Amino acid sequence: MRILITGGTGLIGRHLCKALLQADHEITVLSRHPESVKQKCGAAVHAFGSLDEWGSDAAFDAIINLAGEPIVDARWTEKRKELLWRSRVTLTEQVVQRINAQRHKPAVLLSGSAVGYYGDCGDAALDESAPTAADFGARLCAAWEQAALPAEALNVRVCLLRTGLVLDRSGGILGKMLLPFKLGLGARLGDGTQWMSWIHIDDYVAMVLVLLHHTHASGAFNMTAPEPVTNRAFTDKLARALHRPTLLIAPAAVMRMALSERAYLLLGGQKAIPIQMMALGYRFLHGKLEDALADLVG
Ligand SMILES: NC(=O)c1ccc[n+]([C@@H]2O[C@H](COP(=O)([O-])OP(=O)(O)OC[C@H]3O[C@@H](n4cnc5c(N)ncnc54)[C@H](OP(=O)(O)O)[C@@H]3O)[C@@H](O)[C@H]2O)c1
């Protein structure tokens, strides 16, 4: 397959590129830094610096749309929110416009979203039919999904990747947590009852490959492991995997002060269940957090 990946230089994208190259696919990555694509994604990967380079001679069979400004890294000023929106929603609208203009349309668009789509839902188990919420993160995810869906009218199969916390030792949430935990400074966040819907990077990549090839797969998919855990359980299991204690608590009030609006991303959570992936018969490589952590940091 000829595949275009937006955000292909990111944490997930780089793993995807590796797996797709191994499976003999031809990859092009859209990046703001096209000169860095070969080094980050592999020497055989082509680069676009802009969607304008997607001419009629560059036909793609599949699009994987993952680009997006990092969510938690900086304070959510109005300017930052606009950047978070533009880098996901506007870019996705532009991708769909490009698809519309192509003679050879891709068969499938796998487009980003996150379990933040559901907002903070306490202990409720969330399959893909659960409703969205009104906070900024949820509205962003819903708009990101809505921007991709018009591709269906162009006869393109659309899968919405409601991504959970992707666990990889080289980055993402686990990459950020490793150093403090190794130093014995790992802390439970608030009362630790909030749910964390996690997924091992190897499962994420394998699930994307399934969605790419499964011609009947469409709609929303919780890209999460089947057994989400509370923050308290996650903290304990990570500390145990690293043979370190967890005696500390990051108080909710202090986190709210330090992070303002973003605090709810860490103090709230979702108990997402990947019903649609399971319905496709997907068998998880790391269905339990203990196994995933043993593989990643053990
Ligand atoms: N990792 C997770 O745990 C997780 C969880 C839920 C949802 N997601 C979502 O899944 C997607 C991929 O995740 P990831 O962890 O691989 O993300 P990542 O490592 O932050 O990479 C995202 C990529 O998006 C591109 N990008 C960043 N800011 C941009 C901007 N302002 N305009 C256009 N492109 C921009 C970058 O590519 P260039 O620098 O090459 O342009 C970057 O490599 C993201 O949209 C993320 O929000 C991830």
Side-chain angles (χ1 to χ4, degrees), residues 123-141:
D123 291 334
L126 304 165
D127 68 22
E128 289 84 351
S129 67
T132 187
D135 61 82
F136 174 72
R139 283 188 285 114
L140 177 62
C141 289

Side-chain angles (χ1 to χ4, degrees), residues 1 106-110 151-152 155-159 210-219:
M1 272 184 174
V108 58
L109 166 64
L110 307 185
E152 286 184 331
N155 273 335
V156 177
R157 182 166 61 84
V158 177
C159 297
V210 168
L211 295 177
L212 212 46
H213 295 292
H214 203 302
T215 50
H216 296 304
S218 67

Side-chain angles (χ1 to χ4, degrees), residues 111-239:
S111 197
S113 181
V115 291
Y117 172 91
Y118 304 112
D120 174 17
C121 292
D123 291 334
L126 304 165
D127 68 22
E128 289 84 351
S129 67
T132 187
D135 61 82
F136 174 72
R139 283 188 285 114
L140 177 62
C141 289
W144 197 5
E145 294 189 4
Q146 286 305 315
L149 284 172
E152 286 184 331
L154 305 171
N155 273 335
V156 177
R157 182 166 61 84
V158 177
C159 297
L160 304 166
L161 310 176
R162 290 194 186 147
T163 303
L165 300 163
V166 178
L167 302 186
D168 175 45
R169 67 175 76 75
S170 69
I173 186 172
L174 188 61
K176 286 192 174 80
M177 290 170 92
L178 275 181
L179 181 62
F181 271 73
K182 280 182 181 167
L183 294 173
L185 298 172
R188 172 167 35 103
L189 305 180
D191 65 9
T193 57
Q194 67 277 36
W195 286 87
M196 297 176 69
S197 291
W198 59 276
I199 179 79
H200 188 300
I201 183 69
D202 290 349
D203 271 310
Y204 194 95
V205 169
M207 285 152 76
V208 167
L209 292 179
V210 168
L211 295 177
L212 212 46
H213 295 292
H214 203 302
T215 50
H216 296 304
S218 67
F221 291 84
N222 285 343
M223 301 293 278
T224 60
E227 294 188 18
V229 296
T230 61
N231 173 261
R232 181 189 291 260
F234 191 97
T235 307
D236 289 347
K237 287 176 200 291
L238 178 56

Side-chain angles (χ1 to χ4, degrees), residues 2-294:
R2 294 158 295 182
I3 303 173
L4 173 66
I5 310 181
T6 78
T9 58
L11 172 82
I12 297 172
R14 274 176 281 146
H15 283 276
L16 264 178
C17 284
K18 197 171 161 200
L20 291 168
L21 286 175
Q22 272 168 6
D24 267 346
H25 296 289
E26 192 183 311
I27 314 293
T28 302
V29 162
L30 174 71
S31 170
R32 294 163 302 166
H33 311 285
E35 71 290 349
S36 71
V37 163
K38 286 195 184 298
Q39 184 244 321
K40 290 177 178 164
C41 304
V45 175
H46 309 288
F48 280 174
S50 147
L51 279 176
D52 293 337
E53 292 175 51
W54 184 359
S56 51
D57 53 334
F60 294 107
D61 307 306
I63 316 291
I64 304 176
N65 178 40
L66 296 172
E69 186 72 25
I71 295 268
V72 278
D73 290 17
R75 186 173 282 269
W76 283 356
T77 58
E78 285 310 309
K79 201 167 155 214
R80 176 102 192 140
K81 282 182 177 176
E82 199 204 317
L83 184 56
L84 294 170
W85 198 276
R86 211 171 348 109
S87 63
R88 290 181 173 77
V89 182
T90 311
L91 182 75
T92 303
E93 287 165 355
Q94 290 166 350
V95 165
V96 174
Q97 281 162 15
R98 279 281 148 186
I99 293 174
N100 190 25
Q102 295 303 305
R103 244 178 306 127
H104 174 96
K105 298 198 181 354
V108 58
L109 166 64
L110 307 185
S111 197
S113 181
V115 291
Y117 172 91
Y118 304 112
D120 174 17
C121 292
D123 291 334
L126 304 165
D127 68 22
E128 289 84 351
S129 67
T132 187
D135 61 82
F136 174 72
R139 283 188 285 114
L140 177 62
C141 289
W144 197 5
E145 294 189 4
Q146 286 305 315
L149 284 172
E152 286 184 331
L154 305 171
N155 273 335
V156 177
R157 182 166 61 84
V158 177
C159 297
L160 304 166
L161 310 176
R162 290 194 186 147
T163 303
L165 300 163
V166 178
L167 302 186
D168 175 45
R169 67 175 76 75
S170 69
I173 186 172
L174 188 61
K176 286 192 174 80
M177 290 170 92
L178 275 181
L179 181 62
F181 271 73
K182 280 182 181 167
L183 294 173
L185 298 172
R188 172 167 35 103
L189 305 180
D191 65 9
T193 57
Q194 67 277 36
W195 286 87
M196 297 176 69
S197 291
W198 59 276
I199 179 79
H200 188 300
I201 183 69
D202 290 349
D203 271 310
Y204 194 95
V205 169
M207 285 152 76
V208 167
L209 292 179
V210 168
L211 295 177
L212 212 46
H213 295 292
H214 203 302
T215 50
H216 296 304
S218 67
F221 291 84
N222 285 343
M223 301 293 278
T224 60
E227 294 188 18
V229 296
T230 61
N231 173 261
R232 181 189 291 260
F234 191 97
T235 307
D236 289 347
K237 287 176 200 291
L238 178 56
R240 212 169 305 141
L242 293 167
H243 309 291
R244 292 288 188 280
T246 40
L247 305 170
L248 304 177
I249 296 172
V254 173
M255 289 181 65
R256 282 196 195 95
M257 229 159 30
L259 297 169
S260 60
E261 197 180 348
R262 286 172 297 152
Y264 83 90
L265 291 178
L266 302 175
L267 295 171
Q270 299 81 24
K271 188 182 180 185
I273 312 293
I275 296 292
Q276 294 302 328
M277 266 334 285
M278 294 194 287
L280 290 181
Y282 180 74
R283 296 177 77 93
F284 285 84
L285 305 166
H286 304 282
K288 288 190 180 298
L289 183 60
E290 291 87 336
D291 299 344
L293 291 175

